[in-house]
Amino acid sequence: MSESQLWHEVDDYFTDRLLPDAPDDALEAALRDSDAAGLPAIAVSPLQGKLLQLLAQVQGARHILEIGTLGGYSTIWLGRALPADGRLISLEFNPEHAEVATRNIARAGLDKQVEVRVGAALDSLPQLADENPPPFDLVFIDADKVNNPHYMEWALRLTSTGSLIVLDNVVRGGRVADPANTDPDVVGTRAALDLIGSHPRLSGTAIQTVGAKEYDGFALARVLA
Ligand code: SAH
Ligand code: DHB
Ligand code: MG
């Protein structure tokens, strides 16, 4: 058995044991309709979605910001962590993705709490800041990786002490640490990691993950005073 097959088997094992009731109908349907609409199959895995949900719950998150909605799969996991009066704003560049996501989110019963905003996140973020929203308790960054350092800067502006910033896809099969790799996405992720490591208001770490998303990982950064 290849290493990758083993990762998938263990992922399936954990999913069966730990998420016996999930992915449920709304999550399954979100993936099915995303696939039918031709969206790329790059959503977080069920176990990763549950991790995001747990992190939001540990945060006691009432306000969540997501950058990169796709079909709303991670959005639904995160949105379900919110209290009734909580709110999630998710930013998506592609109007077709946003349309699929909006339907998926409504089917999950989250349309009152979740808003998908269409546009390039670097246009939406300054507009959002102008609205002076309450600080976001959790920010999930999962869009175009080339802009990760900019998204980190905006996340810092839109959060406050104790907020958590989660950055997806920091490993990408190990490309992050390959000095020969100068892909702009990889360079963007490196710059975001450098920012986390050097910023006086951030305390961060990164975890490598294997499983349904192959070999990848998350960076986590807590906002300090
Ligand atoms: N968070 C999702 C996956 C997001 S995939 C999940 O786990 O379910 C990345 C998404 O970011 C894609 O839908 C892509 O269209 C979007 N994206 C790419 N560039 C963007 C940009 N500049 N602004 C906002 N969204 C962007
Ligand atoms: C891929 C995976 C992701 O989680 C993402 O945000 C973008 C791309 C991928 O596997 O290509
Ligand atoms: Mg991702």
Side-chain angles (χ1 to χ4, degrees), residues 31 39-40 42-45 52 66-75 90-94 97-98 117 119-122 124 140-145 147 151 168-169 213:
L31 289 182
L39 273 52
I42 57 173
V44 294
S45 70
L52 293 173
E66 177 176 68
I67 306 176
T69 318
L70 191 64
Y73 185 76
S74 56
T75 319
S90 189
L91 309 180
E92 173 54 53
F93 172 71
N94 186 318
H97 295 187
R117 296 193 178 185
L122 287 180
S124 303
F140 179 47
I141 301 174
D142 191 21
D144 50 330
K145 315 308 175 194
N147 283 318
Y151 297 149
D168 195 19
N169 310 113
K213 300 285 312 249

Side-chain angles (χ1 to χ4, degrees), residues 51-74:
L51 172 65
L52 293 173
Q53 185 176 89
L54 290 175
L55 289 171
Q57 287 166 336
V58 167
Q59 280 299 97
R62 290 186 61 235
H63 301 280
I64 298 175
L65 174 64
E66 177 176 68
I67 306 176
T69 318
L70 191 64
Y73 185 76
S74 56

Side-chain angles (χ1 to χ4, degrees), residues 198-222:
S198 62
H199 200 287
R201 290 192 60 226
L202 288 174
S203 169
T205 190
I207 46 173
Q208 305 184 57
T209 58
V210 295
K213 300 285 312 249
E214 294 292 319
Y215 176 32
D216 212 326
F218 297 98
L220 305 178
R222 180 174 161 87

Side-chain angles (χ1 to χ4, degrees), residues 93-113:
F93 172 71
N94 186 318
E96 291 166 20
H97 295 187
E99 203 183 302
V100 173
T102 300
R103 280 199 302 270
N104 286 336
I105 288 159
R107 181 171 36 208
L110 290 166
D111 42 332
K112 295 272 190 300
Q113 288 151 291

Side-chain angles (χ1 to χ4, degrees), residues 58-206:
V58 167
Q59 280 299 97
R62 290 186 61 235
H63 301 280
I64 298 175
L65 174 64
E66 177 176 68
I67 306 176
T69 318
L70 191 64
Y73 185 76
S74 56
T75 319
I76 294 170
W77 279 106
L78 285 165
R80 287 177 172 176
L82 288 170
D85 63 347
R87 201 159 153 69
L88 187 157
I89 296 176
S90 189
L91 309 180
E92 173 54 53
F93 172 71
N94 186 318
E96 291 166 20
H97 295 187
E99 203 183 302
V100 173
T102 300
R103 280 199 302 270
N104 286 336
I105 288 159
R107 181 171 36 208
L110 290 166
D111 42 332
K112 295 272 190 300
Q113 288 151 291
V114 175
E115 181 189 351
V116 179
R117 296 193 178 185
V118 184
L122 287 180
D123 294 331
S124 303
L125 286 161
Q127 286 168 22
L128 180 59
D130 283 346
E131 296 167 22
N132 282 315
F136 291 96
D137 308 296
L138 187 148
V139 181
F140 179 47
I141 301 174
D142 191 21
D144 50 330
K145 315 308 175 194
V146 66
N147 283 318
N148 275 343
H150 303 299
Y151 297 149
M152 283 300 307
E153 297 278 10
W154 278 107
L156 264 167
R157 277 192 55 176
L158 292 165
T159 52
S160 62
T161 303
S163 296
L164 182 68
I165 303 169
V166 181
L167 186 65
D168 195 19
N169 310 113
V170 299
V171 176
R172 300 302 287 274
R175 294 199 276 283
V176 68
D178 172 6
N181 194 316
T182 56
D183 180 293
D185 285 350
V186 173
V187 171
T189 292
R190 284 184 192 133
L193 291 167
D194 288 344
L195 192 149
I196 294 171
S198 62
H199 200 287
R201 290 192 60 226
L202 288 174
S203 169
T205 190

